[in-house]
Amino acid sequence: MKVCIAEKPSVAKDIAEVLGAKQRKDGYYEGNGYQVTWTFGHFCTLKEPHDYHERWKSWRLEDLPMIPANFGIKLIDNPGALKQFGVIENLVKNSEEVINCGDAGQEGELIQRWVLLKAKCAVPVKRLWISSLTEQAIREGFEKLKESEQYNNLYAAGSARAIGDWLLGMNATRLFTKKFGQGKVVLSIGRVQTPTLAVIVQRQKEINAFVSEEYWELKTIYRETEFTATIDRIKKAEKAEKGLIYLKEHPFEITSFERKEGKEGNPRIFDLTSLQVESNKKYGYSAEDTLKHIQNLYEKKFVTYPRVDTTYLSEDLHPKIAGILQDLKPYSNLTAPLLEKPIPMSKTVFDDKKVTDHHAIIPTGVFPNHISIDEKRIYDLIVRRFIAAFYPECKVSNTTVLGKVGQVEFKATGKQILEPGWREVYANDASAKKEAAEEEKLMPEFVVGESGPHEPRIHQGKTSPPKAFTEATLLRAMETAGKMVEDEEMRELLKDNGIGRPSTRANIIETLFKRKYIEKKKKNLFATQTGIDLIDTIQNELLKSAELTGNWERKLRLIEKGEYSMETFKQELIQMVVDLTKEVLSNRGGMISISQEVPAVIEKEEKVKKEPKPKEPKEEISIETLKCPKCKEHLLKKGKTAYGCGNFQVCGFKIPFELMGKKLTDKHVYDLLSKGKTGKIKGLLIPGSEAPIDARLVMGGDFNIGVE
């Protein structure tokens, strides 16, 4: 018998149907020389710390770092999984050949290899590698089965990822929790999670620190067209008023008129991240919801494999495109113009060099029935983007007009859509219509040298803070290692250095919500105080740098390509964990608390079982056990009116018991020393301020105390 192992029962059923294995048994299908069985998710996982050493069961700083001599795997403790594994083990033992039909990606390869390893598989293994679950795709896949060895590098990359996440997640989480966690709080640290949080915290700090400033601009209307002065924004109203008087004394003169025809390239076919971005923008769906809907569509055979990071199609798909377009009957008004002539073999769509494990997400041609409204919306996004890729480019006319009033130069720009091209696909889309209308601005014909009366005015505005992240903009930032990049080509180049993988980013964002590190207000994401405190406590840049994490991700991809050693990657991470442990143990940062207890936390880019943690007595605040923050040599002492440095005569550092009309508690003093600021204090009397205010006390870089 040949034993096929699929990633879930529904896929096993589809495969069994195609292979003619129609006899249903307990945990598998049989027939026509095949036995088709299944896993359901992760049957195996890396061993937990206590599986290596009993003493690692307790969370103790003196046991860190935990570095097993060899990493082992174990079956998860789940009755259903254990029973099904028994079925797989028995089938594999009596088979002549195993066909790995797992999810065709890095995680799917890892899941299946671990199961086969645990089942002590000793027979030859083949690999089914398909991009959709249609009958035709399954049939073609079995006609072209691959050798399992072809995917050894993919498995190595998956193993390196899992081991890397274990080393950092297990050690850093225990390290920071025991060193800085207050009460029952668990401080979760992860290879992908922490830099993602750092990106959000950094943006939050920029928003919090932003001070809005008023500015004034000079504008004028000439021949029903608004022009803006090209001088720097004016910072004072009086100067703007003087400028307006000057403008009224002179006529408007056209100095340049230029109209250029250009093209707007077609939008790219979706990869998973760009689909999540679009569905968040258009429908407000979270990344996790989008992944769930697209996964359902894939399993129902309506779209191709979704967990992809490329926007290109493989060249061998070109002959099939017309057939897929033909099958999209409800979209026939859009596909008909394309089917009148051959589909062009465009390099912006078909490029084998840009395709990784799978091609971009496209419809299979099987049209959906009985799907939810959410799945319909996602399906419509995919189909329209697929159709738009084969339409002509959109032709536009861009106009730039320069003018002057006296010595002050002005500029106006306009845009006109000459031939809509791919925009036709979105002609009935309300949001696309609105966007096009906002972009399009018709300009009259101007002649250089013409002049005449105009209507000058002053526009008053305020500078805006940086925008808070939405899930859409955060996904883009994760994809490009924290850099906000609009250009499609540049984004493609940066993908190898992204934070996490397309398939795990949604889970990372959800993890940050669950652990109360971030929260959502309308569509915007904000870091909580706990999230901010955690990032502020982490001194090690490696842990929170998006760029460095992106570099690890690049190395994992190189392992996948056979261009980097898994062992080297592992040794680099071990060294990092050793250095990190030494660094944190010598750090005297403040304690971090949280409003609610959060689930425990080891990040392996998937859910991990919580380990029991011994209860800790509540820690008392003792100021006199802390070192002076200024000289960093002497302990603090309590005087009659203030806490001060033990060597006050030389150092001069002190914090008075009473500041700005308020008596400070030991907690206030402790927060100032450990975090650099207190919580909000009501009724502070600020010199020069008439009424009391509510504010935080903040210790500046010069060790003087101010307010925030």
Side-chain angles (χ1 to χ4, degrees), residues 582-693:
K582 284 179 189 170
E583 184 183 313
V584 172
L585 289 176
S586 64
N587 190 345
R588 292 191 66 87
M591 304 302 280
I592 298 173
S593 58
I594 197 166
S595 53
Q596 300 173 29
E597 184 180 349
V598 292
V601 297
I602 294 60
E603 173 190 317
K604 297 190 352 189
E605 300 186 2
E606 63 209 49
K607 292 175 185 173
V608 181
K609 198 175 169 185
K610 182 172 178 177
E611 287 190 44
K613 183 172 173 282
K615 289 184 180 177
E616 295 254 327
K618 198 170 178 182
E619 205 163 315
E620 287 183 9
I621 294 170
S622 177
I623 308 299
E624 289 174 276
T625 62
L626 300 178
K627 277 189 178 176
C628 168
K630 190 174 179 183
C631 70
K632 297 184 175 61
E633 287 179 25
H634 299 274
L635 292 174
L636 294 172
K637 281 189 177 176
K638 189 173 185 177
K640 289 181 183 177
T641 59
Y643 282 107
C645 177
N647 190 21
F648 178 78
Q649 300 300 328
V650 177
C651 172
F653 175 80
K654 70 173 181 178
I655 298 179
F657 295 156
E658 191 169 317
L659 262 176
M660 301 179 198
K662 279 285 176 182
K663 200 167 185 179
L664 301 187
T665 64
D666 277 3
K667 175 79 167 71
H668 290 144
V669 176
Y670 187 88
D671 286 350
L672 272 171
L673 292 163
S674 58
K675 299 178 187 174
K677 62 182 173 184
T678 66
K680 197 166 271 188
I681 301 174
K682 291 185 177 179
L684 290 172
L685 298 171
I686 310 295
S689 176
E690 293 177 7
I693 66 161

Side-chain angles (χ1 to χ4, degrees), residues 138-182:
I138 293 170
R139 216 174 275 290
E140 285 177 4
F142 270 93
E143 285 168 9
K144 301 174 187 171
L145 287 173
K146 315 280 188 187
E147 293 299 326
S148 181
E149 289 72 24
Q150 278 182 245
Y151 300 93
N152 283 352
N153 290 332
L154 190 68
Y155 170 52
S159 295
R161 179 182 296 279
I163 289 168
D165 289 337
W166 193 102
L167 277 167
L168 194 60
M170 292 285 184
N171 283 292
T173 294
R174 291 187 178 201
L175 182 62
F176 278 82
T177 298
K178 296 304 295 177
K179 181 73 179 175
F180 304 112
Q182 201 164 26

Side-chain angles (χ1 to χ4, degrees), residues 317-336:
L317 268 177
H318 180 258
K320 299 178 182 178
I321 299 300
I324 297 170
L325 291 168
Q326 188 87 50
D327 290 337
L328 298 171
K329 302 293 184 199
Y331 295 87
S332 57
N333 62 321
L334 297 173
T335 59

Side-chain angles (χ1 to χ4, degrees), residues 23 187 248 398 644 652 656:
Q23 199 178 346
L187 299 177
K248 286 178 177 176
N398 294 308

Side-chain angles (χ1 to χ4, degrees), residues 503-551:
S503 54
T504 59
R505 287 177 192 139
N507 178 254
I508 293 298
I509 296 169
E510 288 304 313
T511 299
L512 292 174
F513 281 125
K514 285 175 194 161
R515 290 171 187 161
K516 306 285 190 288
Y517 294 163
I518 64 172
E519 59 191 358
K520 191 183 285 186
K521 294 174 187 172
K522 293 185 179 173
K523 269 191 175 185
N524 293 332
L525 305 180
F526 295 94
T528 62
Q529 192 58 49
T530 305
I532 294 169
D533 288 347
L534 178 58
I535 293 302
D536 285 348
T537 301
I538 298 170
Q539 301 300 311
N540 187 292
E541 283 305 313
L542 275 165
L543 275 186
K544 54 186 182 180
S545 163
E547 212 163 305
L548 287 162
T549 305
N551 192 32

